[in-house]
Amino acid sequence: MVVQQYRDGGGARAVRALAAAGVIAVTAGCFGGDGGGGTADGSGQRSVAADRPLDLLGQAADVLVEAGGAETRTSMETAVGGTRVTIRGQGAYDFRKQMGRLRVVLPKDPAGKDAAGADGHRPITELLAPGALYMKNRGAGVPDDKWVRIDTTGLKDGNLVTGGVTDPMAAAELLRGAADVTYAGKTEMAGVAVHHYRGVADLVRAARAASPQSRGALSAAAKGFSKDAVPFDAYLDEHGRLRKVRHRFTFSSDARGPEVSVVSTLLLYGFGLPVTVTLPDEDAIYTGEIRQG
């Protein structure tokens, strides 16, 4: 588990542990590509400009459930002991089933090794499901044909940073705890008009308002992070669909160490995309020991 590994090791070791699990990276702007997918699919949809910010943000997760599936790009970034680690992911997510599949790419150091210390480590495949995270090509002694299954209900960070990808539904559910919101204006993202909101989400409040599938993970995060307040920037289109959100999480590296800041960014596009996620059979799950960096 990433948060625990942060607390147990020094700066360089913590960075290796994070990258081995698949963690961290952010870009300041749009990720590029054809992110403008998801045009209005019918009448009766409300306009963002007609609603209050807290209402919009509080309903963002529900609007995504109505939209069904979407393509996603993720990014997470952290700095420990003067070393910065950036990890990116790309895939698709079904907000109705709260399941997704992503390809997570580890960074390489100047020597050409990935952050886990391996030469040319293949991208990690991650399957997201309610209460579980599955990882393939995990490395650290795990056979290439096996999956690692993590019970996310037992993670102190609620799987907000463990896999290098903040679960898209959890990222949206966090906005249910929004407060101190400021409207930052209207802009354009990949050809789509979006409304930019800045604010702070309270983990405890978000957990109480979250769907049953997300409540346990967010409750765990509220206890595991050193700060309940999570600053965010959220971008919603004219139909209230979350197009991009950036969260800044804070926790302690160990009992006496400095606080660690993790910035997670989620980009959503291509709404309405059919998403199929097949979880591995039990005999494909690795149950042996996993080496720590």
Side-chain angles (χ1 to χ4, degrees), residues 18-121:
L18 279 165
V23 209
I24 352 243
V26 73
T27 56
C30 182
F31 287 83
D34 63 352
T39 58
D41 53 8
S43 60
Q45 292 181 311
R46 63 185 177 278
S47 169
V48 166
D51 291 315
R52 294 179 299 172
L54 289 179
D55 291 335
L56 281 169
L57 296 171
Q59 296 166 6
D62 298 327
V63 174
L64 290 176
V65 171
E66 294 175 5
E71 295 182 73
T72 179
R73 295 187 188 180
T74 66
S75 177
M76 201 173 277
E77 181 182 79
T78 196
V80 180
T83 302
R84 186 172 298 276
V85 173
T86 300
I87 293 179
R88 304 178 189 279
Q90 183 171 359
Y93 192 87
D94 186 328
F95 287 94
R96 292 174 182 166
K97 296 181 179 179
Q98 296 193 17
M99 299 178 69
R101 181 184 183 95
L102 296 101
R103 179 177 181 269
V104 179
V105 181
L106 302 179
K108 291 185 178 180
D109 64 22
K113 297 179 180 295
D114 64 34
D119 292 309
H121 191 290

Side-chain angles (χ1 to χ4, degrees), residues 175-211:
L175 297 177
R176 297 186 191 275
D180 300 324
V181 176
T182 300
Y183 179 61
K186 188 174 182 178
T187 185
E188 187 174 289
M189 184 178 298
V192 176
V194 293
H195 297 265
H196 180 191
Y197 300 93
R198 291 193 181 100
V200 176
D202 182 271
L203 280 167
V204 175
R205 187 185 303 121
R208 290 173 180 169
S211 64

Side-chain angles (χ1 to χ4, degrees), residues 275-287:
V275 179
T276 301
V277 178
T278 302
L279 300 181
D281 296 330
E282 286 298 321
D283 59 3
I285 306 298
Y286 180 71
T287 58

Side-chain angles (χ1 to χ4, degrees), residues 102-239:
L102 296 101
R103 179 177 181 269
V104 179
V105 181
L106 302 179
K108 291 185 178 180
D109 64 22
K113 297 179 180 295
D114 64 34
D119 292 309
H121 191 290
R122 288 178 294 172
I124 296 174
T125 298
E126 296 191 6
L127 303 181
L128 306 175
L133 167 65
Y134 297 83
M135 306 172 75
K136 193 172 185 181
N137 297 331
R138 167 66 171 78
V142 180
D144 290 343
D145 62 340
K146 294 291 185 179
W147 292 83
V148 173
R149 183 187 186 280
I150 299 173
D151 181 359
T152 56
T153 62
L155 296 178
K156 292 184 179 179
D157 73 304
N159 198 31
L160 294 177
V161 300
T162 289
V165 174
T166 298
D167 184 287
M169 190 63 182
E173 297 261 34
L174 262 176
L175 297 177
R176 297 186 191 275
D180 300 324
V181 176
T182 300
Y183 179 61
K186 188 174 182 178
T187 185
E188 187 174 289
M189 184 178 298
V192 176
V194 293
H195 297 265
H196 180 191
Y197 300 93
R198 291 193 181 100
V200 176
D202 182 271
L203 280 167
V204 175
R205 187 185 303 121
R208 290 173 180 169
S211 64
Q213 296 94 323
S214 300
R215 192 170 300 141
L218 292 180
S219 296
K223 298 176 182 178
F225 285 103
S226 59
K227 291 183 179 180
D228 290 338
V230 180
F232 69 83
D233 284 84
Y235 299 79
L236 278 65
D237 66 19
E238 294 289 352
H239 305 297

